[in-house]
Amino acid sequence: MKISIFIDYDNLTPQQKNLGIKGVVQKVLLLDDFATSKTRGECTIRLYGGWYEGEGLTASAEMLIAEIGDSFPTILSAKGEMTIRLSTQAELAYSMSETPREHLFGTYRKKQFPYNIRCTSPTTLGCCDNACPLVVLKNFLRKRKCPNEGCNIDISQFLYRNEQKLVDTMLTCDILYSHKVFPNGHVYVVSSDDDILPAVNTLSARGMQVVRVHTKPTSNQLYGNNTCQHTERSIA
């Protein structure tokens, strides 16, 4: 018996992260009763996130590496005709499963401020104070630079956010590749992100037993009422 668990780590809630990887995986494994009389099996876990900032590991990646080293390999339990003992390994997804030696760097990077942002003038919202800081903010967004004379700070230098890149595509490729490696295995995809649904549905159409595990409460109509062959569960 072979179980593969793909976890979109940033899709976990803070409470779920506090359980630790082993705690989250154990909750996933107890969602279903496996139709098997086997009492032993294997479970592999891959965690997806922006693990590289440039070519260096992020602080989050380093913490998870330490947690994996402390917690795995281990034996976890699943339910069948009898309790199933699973020899369980975990790893961070630095590369695609099909090309494990080719690490994907720069998966956590700075994204500059989006230039299609618009804002309403404070006066149209009832603000009559000419010294209102929102007026300064509006001018800053409109001019894309500091409105004060002599200040050369550009908006792209001042406003940005960090984001993951390539991670969703890597997860999608690995989900599809699992059919080639373990065509009779069980696959769990832990994420409420609908971007992974095409890969989940494709794998299900190929005959694999696929479960998408929601990490957050959702009003998505696909949840609990989908016409696809895959199963949906929740640890929210």
Side-chain angles (χ1 to χ4, degrees), residues 6-12 168 171 175 188-197 200 211-216 232-233 235:
F6 302 96
I7 300 177
D8 180 355
Y9 188 75
D10 278 357
N11 208 254
L12 297 177
D168 288 345
L171 174 56
I175 292 172
Y188 285 82
V189 182
V190 183
S191 177
S192 290
D193 191 342
D194 286 348
D195 287 344
I196 51 91
L197 272 176
V200 169
V211 179
R212 179 167 73 140
V213 180
H214 285 265
T215 58
K216 305 179 178 97
E232 302 220 352
R233 296 283 186 264
I235 57 170

Side-chain angles (χ1 to χ4, degrees), residues 16-227:
Q16 290 160 356
K17 290 179 180 179
N18 287 338
L19 292 174
I21 302 166
K22 187 162 68 172
V24 169
V25 171
Q26 187 63 82
K27 289 186 69 172
V28 170
L29 291 172
L30 295 177
L31 290 173
D32 296 294
D33 288 331
F34 293 92
T36 179
S37 59
K38 295 182 178 180
T39 59
R40 294 185 180 274
E42 297 179 12
C43 177
T44 59
I45 305 158
R46 278 174 65 84
L47 293 102
Y48 295 81
W51 307 136
Y52 278 112
E53 188 168 7
E55 295 188 2
L57 290 170
T58 62
S60 177
E62 291 179 345
M63 287 191 296
L64 286 171
I65 289 170
E67 181 183 344
I68 289 171
D70 290 339
S71 302
F72 298 92
T74 191
I75 301 295
L76 295 179
S77 299
K79 298 182 294 183
E81 293 183 14
M82 299 178 64
T83 299
I84 307 166
R85 292 171 58 81
L86 298 168
S87 177
T88 306
Q89 302 274 357
E91 64 179 0
L92 298 189
Y94 301 121
S95 58
M96 294 186 300
S97 297
E98 193 164 9
T99 54
R101 295 183 179 181
E102 298 177 12
H103 284 208
L104 296 178
F105 297 107
T107 50
Y108 186 74
R109 63 183 78 163
K110 181 187 293 186
K111 182 176 182 179
Q112 292 185 348
F113 184 78
Y115 283 88
N116 58 350
I117 290 287
R118 298 290 183 269
C119 66
T120 303
S121 173
T123 57
T124 64
L125 300 176
C127 179
C128 300
D129 184 0
N130 291 331
C132 176
L134 292 180
V135 175
V136 178
L137 176 61
K138 177 176 172 55
N139 290 334
F140 184 42
L141 293 173
R142 180 173 59 85
K143 295 181 178 180
R144 310 294 180 187
K145 63 180 182 179
C146 179
N148 289 338
E149 292 293 333
C151 181
N152 296 318
I153 294 178
D154 182 83
I155 196 169
S156 62
Q157 299 171 296
F158 185 70
L159 293 175
Y160 68 91
R161 66 181 177 88
N162 291 321
E163 67 170 359
Q164 297 180 151
K165 297 294 289 184
L166 308 178
V167 175
D168 288 345
T169 306
M170 190 192 323
L171 174 56
T172 297
C173 290
D174 285 355
I175 292 172
L176 297 177
Y177 182 68
S178 65
H179 178 262
K180 178 179 179 180
V181 182
F182 300 108
N184 298 316
H186 301 264
V187 173
Y188 285 82
V189 182
V190 183
S191 177
S192 290
D193 191 342
D194 286 348
D195 287 344
I196 51 91
L197 272 176
V200 169
N201 291 339
T202 298
L203 202 62
S204 180
R206 293 177 180 177
M208 287 196 72
Q209 301 180 58
V210 188
V211 179
R212 179 167 73 140
V213 180
H214 285 265
T215 58
K216 305 179 178 97
T218 176
S219 60
N220 190 328
Q221 292 182 353
L222 287 172
Y223 177 60
N225 187 32
N226 66 80
T227 57

